[in-house]
Amino acid sequence: MTTLYRCLDLLLEHKAALFTHLTDKWKDLFNAKFRGVLYDLTSTYFESAPPFAEGDKRRFGYSRTSV
């Protein structure tokens, strides 16, 4: 995952062209009309001491910081 994040710096110089391409594709595929695009790159996880009980929904998932 760290390698992927390092590559993002290389994409920066192509940001405008990439954004234009993706928005044009979205408009073409879905006949979409929009003023802006929002995206979320976050994730949520829980930590607990002592650990959560077996079957507790908070046991599922992962931390991006530990991947």
Side-chain angles (χ1 to χ4, degrees), residues 5 20-21 30 38 44-45 47 53 62 65:
Y5 288 129
T20 300
H21 171 75
F30 304 108
L38 303 176
T44 303
Y45 74 103
E47 292 183 5
Y62 67 97
T65 60

Side-chain angles (χ1 to χ4, degrees), residues 44-61:
T44 303
Y45 74 103
F46 294 90
E47 292 183 5
S48 173
F52 296 117
E54 189 66 38
D56 189 310
K57 289 182 181 181
R58 294 172 292 181
R59 291 181 60 95
F60 297 100

